Every structure is written in structure tokens, then in C-alpha cells.
């Protein structure tokens, strides 16, 4: 009997060996017929090779390599969970990169040390946001988070650099905050960790993504923090926000749709470089501009806006911000100042690889030893 089974197994194996099947009898596998001739991931890479080699010069080959390699995650710690996870995470060898800044800030040049420390004390970071990462060069993965006794998950896995726009937003006690493009909700969750927000408006034009966001909030945040007095969730077109609520919010986060560079080179599904989405992709800078304009109008005078993307593209980053600043001045007499985020990048320079000498904003660039990003962020303050 055993001999019979072995023979059958052997025969099946032999059948699998294509080299033994005469060519005329070979059948093309199904995927070969349905796979697009030009997979979107290839188109994305071709596009990036053309634009980023010009934009990033010598840096592009190493950034490209990191972009194509496995990304690193951060575990956004959920302060609403009852689980004693801190020790567990630390025992795994990871650390909270935000509270560990004391050890990171060691100005190599004592001459510029004072200036850096002055800037650091001026930069009040949103309190209570904690995000754990494995050390530089360590590519260990986090286990999926488990629910605590109350059913709340202990951490949310996301690109650790995505926390930077939330930190830069600098939410203070009682602030009213608008998260204009919020789904699936990683940054909303980070903002809620501050416990400081007076009222939070969460919006995303996509109904399906907003339901994911609701699910995320239910899995991490107790009901008493999600009452109508504290939070409002909407599915409006964010570009129209200026027509709904002007001069209202102390803080506005506008984390716009973009070419999501990392996703675009790795996943064919839902890829903005697929042929049928060419028009949508070309219209992105215009949509991003309209969303940033709406965010500027929604902020109150003195209020602050953080614009963020997950692309390296200059057109979708500094290009959009420049146009929005000019538009606000010319059409609404709104004066904006660009807030210097160098203290923030200095603070986290041991965790992330930042682009050097951008003329506007800051950018986390993927790097094999610290494979986070890309994340671009630029902070504006309304002076009028
Ligand atoms: C980069 S994602 C936001 C990610 C989110 N901030 C987070 O941290 O999980 C961009 C979002 O913008 C939304 N979006 C696209 N067009 C929009 C519009 N006109 N108004 C509002 N949201 C829009 C998309 O549905 C998408 O969820």
C-alpha cells in the first residue's frame, strides 16, 4: 500500500515537471492570460525612475532599493487599552522613539547645541503619543495586537513616520481639530491618544473607508470618548470644506490622497498607476491643492495646518504647498507662515532618514536601515 502511495506521489511530481511535458501539450497557467501586459507596479517604477532620478540624483538608487524592500512598522501604543503591554514591547527589544528623545539629542557640534536646545524647548510636542519601533537595522516584525479584557487592542501598526504629522500638529488642551482626509484612521487614533482635543471632526469622502475608520475607532477607543460632544464623523468632499466651516479650527490635518509610492511599486491591486486610473492620477496635484486650500480656510486665524503625503513627488509636496500659499494671499488675503520643523527632524534623526535641504517642509526618505516613509510634511500657521 505504502509503495503504491509513493508511486502515485512520484507520478504527480513528474507531471508537475514542465520540462517532461511535450511543448504542444503545455497549457498556459491562468494567471498568464489574465495578468496585465504592463502591471501597474512596473508602470509605477518606470515613472519613478524617470522623475525621482532627476529629483533625488545619486540618492535615488538606494531609495529605490528601500522602497522595494520590506517596510518597517511602528506600533502606535493605545493608551485606552488596559493591557500592561509596555514591558512586553520593551522585552521584545523595541522602544518608544518619541519619549526616548533625551538620549537622541546630542548635538555633535557644541556651537550649534544651544540653538538646537532653544528650538527644541519651543517645540511642544503633542503629549501622550507613544510609538514603538525596533532599533535601526533590526527588521523584526510586531505580532498582531490582541484585544484586552474590554476588547480594545493594545497597539495599531502603521508606518512610524506617519506619527510625525500628528506630532507636528502640536495639539494643545481644548483645541478643536479637523482631520480632513482621515480614513482608515491611523492618524486620527494618534491624535486621540493626546487626550487634549476639545472637539474632533473626522472626515473622509469615501464611505467604505469611513466605515473602516469607524471600526478602527471602535476597536481602540471606549465609547465615552466617542460621544457627539467630542467627535463628529462625516463623509463629505473635503474640497468643499471652506463653504461649510471657515475660520473655525485651531488645528487642521490634511493627509491627502497621493501616489502612495510604496504601495504603487509593490501591489498591483488598487494601484493608482493602473491604466484605468491614469486620469485620476494626473488630477492628484489639483485635488491635493483644493484640499489644502479648504484646510487653510477651515483653520482659524492663528490656527495651524499640517499638510502630509506618502510620496516623494515634488509636484505633490512642495509644489502644492507653494501654490496654496500664493492662492490664500491673493484670493483671501490670508497670510501664512511656514513653520520650521527642523527641531522635529533633529529630535528624531536617529530613528528616521530625513531628506536634506528641502526648501519647503520635511520628508522621511526610505532607507534600508530605517525603512520608513516616504512621508512628507509641511506645517503652515495662519497669521491672518
Ligand atoms: C492618505 S489617505 C488618509 C490616511 C489617513 N489620514 C490615515 O492616517 O489613516 C487619503 C484619504 O483621502 C480621502 N479622500 C480622497 N479625496 C477626498 C476628498 N475630496 N475629500 C475628503 N477625503 C478625500 C481618501 O478616501 C483617503 O482615505
Amino acid at each position: 500500500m505504502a509503495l503504491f502511495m509513493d508511486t502515485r506521489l512520484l507520478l504527480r511530481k513528474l507531471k508537475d515537471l514542465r520540462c517532461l511535458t511535450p511543448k504542444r501539450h503545455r497549457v498556459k497557467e491562468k494567471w498568464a492570460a489574465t495578468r496585465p501586459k504592463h502591471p501597474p507596479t512596473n508602470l509605477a517604477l518606470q515613472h519613478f525612475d524617470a522623475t525621482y532620478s532627476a529629483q533625488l540624483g545619486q540618492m535615488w538608487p538606494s531609495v529605490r532599493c528601500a522602497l522595494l524592500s520590506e517596510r518597517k512598522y511602528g506600533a502606535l501604543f493605545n493608551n485606552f487599552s488596559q493591557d500592561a503591554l509596555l514591558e512586553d514591547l520593551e522585552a521584545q527589544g523595541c522602544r518608544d522613539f518619541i519619549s526616548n528623545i533625551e538620549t537622541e539629542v546630542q548635538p555633535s557640534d557644541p556651537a550649534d547645541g544651544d540653538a538646537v536646545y532653544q528650538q527644541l524647548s519651543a517645540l511642544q510636542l503633542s503629549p501622550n503619543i507613544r510609538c514603538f519601533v525596533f532599533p535601526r537595522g533590526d527588521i523584526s516584525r510586531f505580532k498582531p495586537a490582541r484585544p484586552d479584557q474590554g476588547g480594545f487592542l493594545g497597539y495599531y501598526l502603521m508606518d512610524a513616520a506617519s506619527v510625525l504629522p500628528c506630532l507636528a500638529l502640536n495639539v494643545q488642551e481644548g483645541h478643536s481639530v479637523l482631520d480632513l482626509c482621515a480614513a482608515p484612521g491611523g492618524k486620527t487614533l494618534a491624535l486621540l491618544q493626546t487626550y487634549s482635543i476639545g472637539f474632533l471632526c473626522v472626515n473622509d469622502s469615501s464611505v467604505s473607508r469611513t466605515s473602516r475608520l469607524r471600526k478602527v475607532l471602535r476597536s481602540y477607543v471606549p465609547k465615552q470618548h466617542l460621544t457627539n460632544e467630542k467627535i463628529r464623523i462625516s463623509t463629505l468632499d473635503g474640497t468643499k470644506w471652506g463653504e461649510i466651516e471657515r475660520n473655525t479650527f485651531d488645528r487642521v490635518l490634511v493627509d491627502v490622497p497621493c501616489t502612495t509610492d510604496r504601495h504603487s511599486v509593490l501591489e498591483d491591486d488598487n494601484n493608482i498607476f493602473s491604466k484605468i486610473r491614469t486620469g485620476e492620477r494626473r488630477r492628484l496635484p489639483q485635488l491635493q491643492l483644493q484640499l489644502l486650500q479648504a484646510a487653510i480656510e477651515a483653520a482659524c486665524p492663528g490656527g495651524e495646518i499640517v499638510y502630509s503625503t506618502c510620496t516623494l513627488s515634488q509636484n505633490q509636496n512642495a509644489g502644492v504647498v507653494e501654490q496654496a500659499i500664493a492662492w490664500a494671499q491673493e484670493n483671501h488675503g490670508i497670510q501664512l507662515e511656514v513653520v520650521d520643523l527642523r527641531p522635529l527632524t533633529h529630535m528624531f534623526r536617529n530613528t528616521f532618514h530625513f531628506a536634506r535641504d528641502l526648501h519647503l517642509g520635511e520628508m522621511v526618505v526610505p532607507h534600508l536601515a530605517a525603512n520608513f516613509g516616504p512621508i512628507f510634511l509641511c506645517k503652515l500657521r495662519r497669521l491672518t
Side-chain angles (χ1 to χ4, degrees), residues 133-149:
V133 290
F134 285 98
R136 227 180 147 81
D138 180 340
I139 56 163
S140 309
R141 294 182 192 167
F142 290 98
K143 296 178 209 141
R146 281 196 315 258
D148 66 5
Q149 284 179 339

Side-chain angles (χ1 to χ4, degrees), residues 338-358:
V338 178
V339 179
D340 186 1
L341 291 177
R342 275 176 304 177
L344 190 88
T345 60
H346 187 86
M347 205 177 262
F348 300 126
R349 71 193 189 286
N350 290 346
T351 302
F352 303 108
H353 191 78
F354 289 99
R356 288 201 186 149
D357 305 324
L358 289 192

Side-chain angles (χ1 to χ4, degrees), residues 91-112:
Q92 286 178 46
C94 46
R95 65 191 173 97
D96 170 21
F97 77 85
I98 303 165
S99 63
N100 275 287
I101 48 169
E102 299 303 339
T103 51
E104 291 209 350
V105 181
Q106 292 157 352
S108 45
D109 177 5
D112 65 31

Side-chain angles (χ1 to χ4, degrees), residues 87-320:
E87 295 78 19
D88 193 24
L89 286 166
E90 277 163 2
Q92 286 178 46
C94 46
R95 65 191 173 97
D96 170 21
F97 77 85
I98 303 165
S99 63
N100 275 287
I101 48 169
E102 299 303 339
T103 51
E104 291 209 350
V105 181
Q106 292 157 352
S108 45
D109 177 5
D112 65 31
D114 283 352
V116 169
Y117 279 116
Q118 270 170 21
Q119 287 176 324
L120 282 180
S121 50
L123 186 86
Q124 297 160 284
L125 290 185
S126 297
N128 302 327
I129 300 180
R130 287 181 279 189
C131 185
F132 284 76
V133 290
F134 285 98
R136 227 180 147 81
D138 180 340
I139 56 163
S140 309
R141 294 182 192 167
F142 290 98
K143 296 178 209 141
R146 281 196 315 258
D148 66 5
Q149 284 179 339
F152 298 110
L153 297 171
Y155 50 79
Y156 181 88
L157 295 182
M158 65 199 290
D159 189 321
S162 294
V163 171
L164 297 178
C166 306
L167 288 171
L169 201 61
N170 189 17
V171 174
Q172 302 292 305
E173 198 60 40
H175 270 167
S176 59
V177 179
L178 168 63
D179 188 353
L180 195 59
C181 305
K187 296 188 188 69
T188 311
L189 198 57
L191 291 172
L192 283 167
Q193 300 302 318
T194 63
Y195 290 117
S196 304
I197 300 180
F199 187 71
L200 176 63
C201 253
V202 184
N203 180 69
D204 197 286
S205 61
S206 156
V207 174
S208 58
R209 287 174 66 92
T210 307
S211 358
R212 266 176 72 196
L213 179 141
R214 284 180 195 276
K215 203 168 155 214
V216 167
L217 293 183
R218 278 199 301 271
S219 312
Y220 286 86
V221 186
K223 275 190 190 135
Q224 64 267 30
H225 295 275
L226 300 174
T227 58
N228 292 341
E229 291 75 47
K230 296 189 174 161
I231 189 165
R232 186 176 81 207
I233 304 176
S234 54
T235 47
L236 301 168
D237 176 358
T239 62
K240 305 276 188 296
W241 209 275
E243 296 165 20
I244 311 168
E245 266 173 327
R246 281 176 194 221
N247 305 330
T248 305
F249 295 93
D250 299 299
R251 297 288 184 265
V252 182
L253 176 62
V254 53
D255 184 35
V256 293
C258 66
T259 44
T260 52
D261 294 0
R262 202 183 269 278
H263 177 87
S264 292
V265 296
L266 292 179
E267 302 276 339
D268 281 325
D269 278 353
N270 191 24
N271 192 314
I272 188 102
F273 282 85
S274 65
K275 283 263 159 71
I276 47 162
R277 296 183 70 188
T278 305
E280 184 190 343
R281 177 166 59 81
R282 294 212 174 120
R283 284 192 299 275
L284 274 175
Q286 186 57 27
L287 173 62
Q288 292 158 342
L289 176 62
Q290 289 174 334
L291 285 164
L292 179 53
Q293 288 168 341
I296 291 168
E297 287 191 280
C300 61
E304 295 177 350
I305 302 112
V306 171
Y307 174 80
S308 60
T309 73
C310 53
T311 175
L312 297 160
S313 158
Q314 235 165 22
N315 283 348
Q316 298 175 61
N317 295 337
V320 169

Side-chain angles (χ1 to χ4, degrees), residues 62-63 66-67 262 312 353 364-368 370-375:
S62 62
V63 175
L67 212 53
R262 202 183 269 278
L312 297 160
H353 191 78
V364 174
V365 179
H367 187 280
L368 277 181
N371 208 352
F372 303 106
I375 293 287

